[in-house]
Amino acid sequence: MSERTPLLHYRLSTSVNESGTQVPSPTGETVQTSPAVTKRKSAHHNQPPKLSTFFGVVIPTLLSMFSVVLFLRIGFVVGQCGLYQAIAMFLVAYFIISMTVLSVCAISTNGALDAGGAYYMISRALGPEFGGSIGIMFFLANVCGCALFVLGLVEAVIATFGVPEDVTIPPGPYQVLPAGYWWSLLYGTGVLLLCLLVCLVGAHIYAKATFLIFLIVMVVLATILISFFAVNPRTVTLPGGRQSPSNGSGPAPPSTANFTGFKLDTLMGNLEAAYTVDYTTGTMMTFATVFAVMFNGCTGIMAGSNMSGDLKSPSYSIPRGTITAVIFTFIIYNLLCLLMACSCDRVLLQRDYSFLRDINVWNPLVTIGVYSSTMSAAMSNLIGASRILYALARDDLFGKVLSPAKRTSHSGNPWVSVLFSWILVQLVLFSGKLNTIASIVTIFFLLVYAAVDLACLALEWASAPNFRPTFRYFTWYTCVLGIVGCAVMMFLINAIYASASIAFMLLLLLLIHYLSPTSSWGYISQALIFHQVRKYLLMLDVRKDHVKFWRPQVLLMVSNPRSSVGLITFINDIKKSGLYVLGHVQIGDLDTLPSDPLQSWYDSWLSLVDQLNIKAFVNLTLADSVRHGVQHLLFISGLGGMRPNTLVLGFYDDCNPEECLMDPSLTSDPSQASPHDLESDTPLFHFPALRGSGAGAKGDGGDHGDGKVLGPQEYVAVIADAIKMSKNVGLARYFHRFHRALALSPPPASSSSSSSSSSSSSVFVDVWPVNLLRPDSSSYVDTCSLFLLQLACILNMVRSWRRARLRLFLCVEEGRSLRASEEKLGQLLKELRIQAHIHTVPWDQQVALHWQRQTPSRPQEEEELEEEGEYSNSYPSNATRLSDEYLEAVNRLILEQARPPPAVRFLYLPRPPADTRRYTTYLRQLDLLTHDLGPTLLVHGVTPVITTDL
């Protein structure tokens, strides 16, 4: 079921009549349900019951946050940092996690949660790329966290039952376990196997085990608090440890320390910081290293979120359970810091991490509490890691790599994910010491917390109507503070680890972006882009437009993309970061249709845009004629200041369209397609067959001969309409012969001479800025000519066209000064900052052919002049009587100048005649002028686009 219809999915999955296999119909008959439904219901009943808020969130979160820090590291924090800095550390840590908790509560109450916890929240909010990369980081954080707690448990076991490393200290009656790296690894492996067995059974057994551990931990915590008041002052024997090499020649470390009870002198001695060497690792402690160890007591806030797939009501349980656990642990931690600072001297706090056992009313009770809490935290991280891995595998973000992790037992327990997580934890155990991996775990969790805050911030900033969480005690300020706090603490703890973690996350992000399939979760980036684009579109004021910042914004009308690939890619090059819209008109009447047929076509058009790697929008319309459809698109395309200012049409001629779009769906016989083609990722475009293709298709449904959807009269009327709407117009001819890669590759060099070799190795763009249909006027400084020059210059500015050389052809008669005309044009190009080679072209013979046509019978000429006088916008009369001989001569002139032939030509497009009866003649003149010229763009500009001002 697609996640685009979550409400429908919910209503279908919670349908009535789930208790039986027979459903009474309204007529009283019994209807037998399908076997699939019966099987699904039986599977539903076979699953264990879901967990409540207390068992599923509060208990796992409390035990994960207490764990090793509560019993083994509170004294370490106070002894190294002093009471002031210890309380400050907890305030900073809980401020960071509180901001994250608010974000978690907001996201978790905005919709139904599934398995995966924080990964599910982030991926569904920020999209698969960010969610998948953070999911992997969160999975690794839980793996390392599990190893951290296992090592903490092993450390506690060795401290109680291990043989002392100092041979001068006699072992106690219970200290029989050998110590050392490999022995510690063996003990850790055994503890991890026990955690594995519990997690393999399932979340229900895990919840029962954690509840029993929770009761034990609460009893032990109560005895610890009582012991500070009930136990008399005593001397505690300190364990042996590793010393820094720099202290090897100094005095021997103390072997005993004092539990003084509540004394003011003890409190005053524990207020300030006194960083020293950690006796287990031999490294000097700092604020950052102590904070890294202490922060592990705060990283359990996601333990309840990780169980989201096993909760009765995740949206209800996660906020209440997490906030309750956070408040309770904050109170306990600060209370213990105060009691330790008042009753234990500094040496005891720094040199004995398990001193709570020695000052308890019953020593073994603390040992039991340490073992229980660390075991619970290890199980919590192991089962959390498996749930995250299962969610990642189920989303198919990494393809077949994680596909085995989808396997579950009959009760729904992802046992393969549990095994895979267990293997990784076992590998991490080789690090050996608890404090060694504390920094890595802390940075991983901080990165995840920052991602959760970022997800909530993005949802808030996107202002999406569907983001309305029932938990409202958050703002974007809390999200930003959480992100900043996490980032600062990451680099404060270890800048190298933090940088490496971020780099690894970005690498995963790029990997998922390019390799994972498209998801249906929704992308927050789209909502943010929409929000920002709308805001900036409103700021784009058309009244502030200036010619200095003009850029082409093109509406390209495409009849059938199958034959228009060359033109589509070419126009993409000349848009110069402007608006580019692919327009299409479908002939039809919505009144006679059951639905809009265009909606099903958009996917094919957008796939075409992706396939051609162009930056264009798609705008389709339904109209009773092509002319009306183009008018619709010119009126409605774009928004605000982003509207098309240039219309480009394909040329109207008798050429049959040629297939340019490689599409496996075109193969009439599927057996002819190779397996590689069928298995490739090339999208299938559902465009109609080309007219005249003989494929049995109906063509475009036109009635103007050979399947055309419009006639020459309507075609010229479209051009005239665009000019009336103050739109620049371009007519593209022979672009079915245009192949971008071939056009930009230089032709083979000539061996005749070195000069010819150098010229033939270049790509040329020819520009004819003179109205060739008006030989009596050779002006090249009007608006249309300058617009022509601007488009050619823009094409030359594109990176792939920078090697091209502009050739500007200036048509002159012998009676005029060739040198003066060339110098004048060169000066103009210099002022316009356009680099082009000017070629003067004498065309006296062609002009003579034109003037020979100007001596017809006098009555006929007078009649034509009277008719032309009725139209104010018609061009001069001599242009209406252009002879075919003149047009063919000009066509030959253009072809003769093309040595070597250019990649594309730009020609001056005259304005259509005002007399609609001459539209056909006008189109025929353009046809003769551009016959066999190759890729040619006829351009008519109506707006100023060039300025010489700064």
Side-chain angles (χ1 to χ4, degrees):
M1 182 67 66
S2 173
E3 295 189 24
R4 295 178 180 175
T5 56
L7 183 59
L8 179 60
H9 183 283
Y10 170 78
R11 296 168 76 176
L12 290 176
S13 61
T14 57
S15 58
V16 296
N17 301 319
E18 291 188 352
S19 59
T21 59
Q22 291 183 341
V23 182
S25 66
T27 60
E29 299 178 356
T30 301
V31 180
Q32 189 74 21
T33 58
S34 65
V37 175
T38 304
K39 183 178 179 180
R40 186 171 62 247
K41 293 172 184 176
S42 62
H44 174 76
H45 289 300
N46 290 335
Q47 292 183 356
K50 297 289 187 177
L51 303 178
S52 63
T53 302
F54 184 72
F55 287 96
V57 181
V58 176
I59 291 179
T61 305
L62 278 176
L63 293 179
S64 295
M65 296 184 72
F66 278 154
S67 63
V68 69
V69 174
L70 177 65
F71 298 109
L72 298 180
R73 289 298 184 267
I74 289 291
F76 162 79
V77 173
V78 178
Q80 297 287 346
C81 303
L83 181 61
Y84 290 155
Q85 288 192 18
I87 294 178
M89 278 187 179
F90 278 108
L91 288 174
V92 171
Y94 271 81
F95 175 78
I96 294 174
I97 68 169
S98 295
M99 300 299 102
T100 304
V101 166
L102 295 179
S103 299
V104 170
C105 294
I107 297 177
S108 62
T109 59
N110 188 52
L113 280 180
D114 206 343
Y119 158 71
Y120 190 87
M121 300 179 192
I122 296 170
S123 62
R124 268 49 178 183
L126 298 182
E129 295 93 347
F130 210 98
S133 58
I134 288 296
I136 290 293
M137 303 297 291
F138 196 29
F139 167 72
L140 295 177
N142 279 273
V143 166
C144 295
C146 179
L148 175 74
F149 296 128
V150 170
L151 291 175
L153 177 56
V154 171
E155 182 181 307
V157 170
I158 292 178
T160 305
F161 301 104
V163 176
E165 295 181 9
D166 190 352
V167 295
T168 61
I169 301 177
Y174 303 105
Q175 294 178 315
V176 295
L177 294 178
Y181 171 78
W182 292 107
W183 286 106
S184 298
L185 182 61
L186 178 62
Y187 303 149
T189 302
V191 172
L192 186 58
L193 279 174
L194 182 59
C195 297
L196 174 66
L197 293 177
V198 175
C199 294
L200 281 176
V201 175
H204 193 58
I205 301 300
Y206 162 77
K208 292 181 178 179
T210 53
F211 178 65
L212 179 61
I213 294 175
F214 172 75
L215 294 178
I216 296 174
V217 170
M218 290 299 102
V219 170
V220 174
L221 181 60
T223 60
I224 289 175
L225 296 176
I226 294 173
S227 298
F228 282 108
F229 298 92
V231 175
N232 295 323
R234 61 179 64 178
T235 300
V236 179
T237 301
L238 300 177
R242 183 183 305 172
Q243 292 300 313
S244 173
S246 60
N247 295 335
S249 59
S255 59
T256 61
N258 299 316
F259 172 71
T260 63
F262 291 100
K263 286 188 177 181
L264 182 60
D265 293 341
T266 304
L267 175 62
M268 297 303 294
N270 290 328
L271 291 179
E272 301 296 335
Y275 294 104
T276 185
V277 175
D278 176 20
Y279 75 93
T280 62
T281 61
T283 57
M284 187 67 184
M285 293 291 100
T286 62
F287 179 89
T289 55
V290 175
F291 182 85
V293 176
M294 181 276 303
F295 194 79
N296 284 282
C298 310
T299 55
I301 62 171
M302 292 294 187
S305 302
N306 291 344
M307 303 296 294
S308 58
D310 301 295
L311 298 174
K312 290 180 182 177
S313 177
S315 299
Y316 176 87
S317 300
I318 291 177
R320 289 163 176 81
T322 305
I323 292 176
T324 301
V326 167
I327 294 175
F328 183 78
T329 55
F330 179 75
I331 295 173
I332 295 299
Y333 278 144
N334 284 277
L335 180 60
L336 286 176
C337 287
L338 179 61
L339 293 177
M340 291 177 182
C342 293
S343 59
C344 303
D345 65 12
R346 178 80 68 166
V347 176
L348 179 63
L349 298 176
Q350 292 178 342
R351 301 283 306 166
D352 189 359
Y353 294 159
S354 58
F355 74 95
L356 289 177
R357 177 196 59 200
D358 300 320
I359 66 172
N360 197 264
V361 292
W362 187 48
N363 294 357
L365 201 57
V366 175
T367 302
I368 296 173
V370 171
Y371 297 169
S372 302
S373 62
T374 50
M375 176 70 75
S376 171
M379 287 191 299
S380 175
N381 279 267
L382 181 60
I383 199 169
S386 66
R387 292 327 189 247
I388 297 169
L389 183 62
Y390 171 66
L392 284 167
R394 197 173 59 177
D395 288 338
D396 289 326
L397 295 184
F398 296 91
K400 297 181 179 180
V401 177
L402 296 180
S403 58
K406 297 179 185 179
R407 292 192 173 187
T408 61
S409 62
H410 293 293
S411 61
N413 185 37
W415 61 273
V416 177
S417 298
V418 174
L419 287 176
F420 190 75
S421 303
W422 166 72
I423 293 173
L424 290 182
V425 174
Q426 183 63 55
L427 294 176
V428 178
L429 288 180
F430 282 94
S431 62
K433 288 296 181 179
L434 186 149
N435 286 8
T436 304
I437 61 175
S439 298
I440 300 175
V441 175
T442 303
I443 287 174
F444 278 2
F445 275 109
L446 281 170
L447 190 60
V448 173
Y449 295 166
V452 174
D453 290 321
L454 179 62
C456 187
L457 177 65
L459 290 171
E460 178 70 10
W461 275 356
S463 301
N466 282 323
F467 181 63
R468 43 179 185 271
T470 56
F471 183 87
R472 296 301 304 166
Y473 300 102
F474 78 99
T475 64
W476 68 270
Y477 301 102
T478 61
C479 301
V480 171
L481 289 174
I483 295 172
V484 173
C486 291
V488 170
M489 295 313 302
M490 281 172 56
F491 286 92
L492 183 63
I493 291 170
N494 193 311
I496 297 177
Y497 287 170
S499 301
S501 300
I502 294 175
F504 181 58
M505 182 197 70
L506 294 177
L507 180 64
L508 288 173
L509 190 148
L510 294 176
L511 183 68
I512 297 173
H513 176 73
Y514 287 107
L515 298 182
S516 66
T518 303
S519 72
S520 59
W521 307 337
Y523 293 79
I524 188 63
S525 59
Q526 296 298 304
L528 291 173
I529 291 172
F530 177 87
H531 186 268
Q532 294 300 313
V533 167
R534 180 193 62 85
K535 180 172 69 174
Y536 288 115
L537 273 177
L538 292 172
M539 298 171 61
L540 190 60
D541 192 348
V542 295
R543 296 169 296 182
K544 298 180 181 178
D545 284 346
H546 194 277
V547 65
K548 289 191 298 185
F549 308 109
W550 180 91
R551 65 183 71 238
Q553 305 193 75
V554 184
L555 170 62
L556 172 63
M557 298 305 303
V558 180
S559 175
N560 193 326
R562 295 192 183 280
S563 60
S564 307
V565 173
L567 178 58
I568 293 173
T569 55
F570 176 75
I571 299 300
N572 183 66
D573 285 338
I574 67 171
K575 70 179 187 303
K576 188 56 179 174
S577 302
L579 178 67
Y580 184 21
V581 180
L582 299 181
H584 174 75
V585 179
Q586 177 64 22
I587 305 300
D589 187 359
L590 195 59
D591 291 337
T592 62
L593 298 172
S595 62
D596 184 5
L598 301 178
Q599 297 302 318
S600 60
W601 291 9
Y602 272 99
D603 286 343
S604 293
W605 282 84
L606 294 176
S607 298
L608 173 72
V609 170
D610 296 336
Q611 182 73 10
L612 297 180
N613 194 25
I614 61 176
K615 298 177 181 179
F617 298 96
V618 174
N619 209 342
L620 313 179
T621 188
L622 189 70
D624 57 354
S625 67
V626 173
R627 180 182 183 184
H628 290 164
V630 175
Q631 290 176 356
H632 296 168
L633 293 177
L634 287 175
F635 278 127
I636 67 174
S637 293
L639 284 174
M642 291 189 67
R643 291 185 177 276
N645 55 30
T646 304
L647 173 68
V648 178
L649 305 170
F651 196 82
Y652 191 96
D653 54 23
D654 295 329
C655 296
N656 287 326
E658 299 178 8
E659 177 67 47
C660 302
L661 185 61
M662 300 304 296
D663 186 356
S665 67
L666 293 178
T667 305
S668 58
D669 185 2
S671 62
Q672 297 177 3
S674 65
H676 175 72
D677 294 337
L678 296 177
E679 295 176 2
S680 66
D681 295 331
T682 303
L684 299 178
F685 305 112
H686 302 287
F687 298 122
L690 295 174
R691 57 183 173 86
S693 61
K698 295 181 180 179
D700 295 326
D703 55 359
H704 292 272
D706 200 17
K708 293 183 179 180
V709 295
L710 78 166
Q713 192 80 9
E714 185 180 3
Y715 177 81
V716 180
V718 170
I719 302 174
D721 291 342
I723 295 176
K724 291 177 183 177
M725 299 168 66
S726 299
K727 306 294 183 183
N728 309 298
V729 178
L731 304 183
R733 190 174 193 187
Y734 295 121
F735 273 89
H736 60 277
R737 304 178 185 174
F738 178 81
H739 300 281
R740 191 171 183 271
L742 296 177
L744 294 176
S745 60
S750 173
S751 58
S752 59
S753 63
S754 59
S755 60
S756 62
S757 298
S758 61
S759 63
S760 62
S761 62
S762 300
V763 178
F764 293 97
V765 176
D766 288 359
V767 183
W768 295 76
V770 178
N771 185 355
L772 298 175
L773 298 190
R774 286 191 56 186
D776 61 325
S777 173
S778 59
S779 173
Y780 48 82
V781 291
D782 62 349
T783 300
C784 187
S785 299
L786 295 179
F787 184 83
L788 199 68
L789 289 172
Q790 180 77 322
L791 284 188
C793 180
I794 288 174
L795 180 66
N796 198 213
M797 294 169 66
V798 177
R799 178 178 300 176
S800 54
W801 287 86
R802 286 177 183 171
R803 292 178 53 253
R805 299 169 61 182
L806 294 184
R807 296 188 301 194
L808 189 61
F809 294 93
L810 179 60
C811 297
V812 294
E813 299 180 42
E814 290 183 355
R816 302 185 181 183
S817 173
L818 301 180
R819 185 74 175 173
S821 300
E822 186 175 351
E823 290 179 354
K824 184 178 179 181
L825 182 58
Q827 182 64 28
L828 175 64
L829 294 178
K830 183 178 180 181
E831 293 178 358
L832 298 178
R833 292 91 61 201
I834 297 177
Q835 295 182 359
H837 298 274
I838 302 175
H839 298 264
T840 55
V841 180
W843 67 332
D844 296 79
Q845 297 179 1
Q846 290 76 18
V847 173
L849 290 175
H850 165 68
W851 291 114
Q852 290 177 6
R853 179 70 163 75
Q854 306 306 311
T855 58
S857 59
R858 191 68 183 175
Q860 180 183 358
E861 180 180 345
E862 292 177 355
E863 181 180 353
E864 291 180 354
L865 289 175
E866 291 177 359
E867 292 178 355
E868 291 167 5
E870 300 175 2
Y871 304 98
S872 58
N873 291 328
S874 62
Y875 47 79
S877 59
N878 58 353
T880 65
R881 295 189 299 274
L882 292 174
S883 65
D884 293 350
E885 293 81 3
Y886 164 76
L887 294 171
E888 292 171 354
V890 173
N891 177 261
R892 288 192 300 270
L893 175 67
I894 296 174
L895 289 173
E896 290 170 358
Q897 304 300 320
R899 296 292 183 272
V904 67
R905 289 181 174 87
F906 288 88
L907 265 62
Y908 190 113
L909 175 65
R911 189 185 186 99
D915 187 356
T916 58
R917 292 173 297 180
R918 294 181 181 146
Y919 279 179
T920 304
T921 303
Y922 168 80
L923 187 58
R924 184 173 179 276
Q925 292 172 352
L926 296 180
D927 179 53
L928 292 174
L929 178 66
T930 59
H931 182 67
D932 282 338
L933 290 186
T936 302
L937 188 66
L938 292 155
V939 179
H940 183 85
V942 297
T943 56
V945 296
I946 289 183
T947 179
T948 57
D949 297 334
L950 182 63

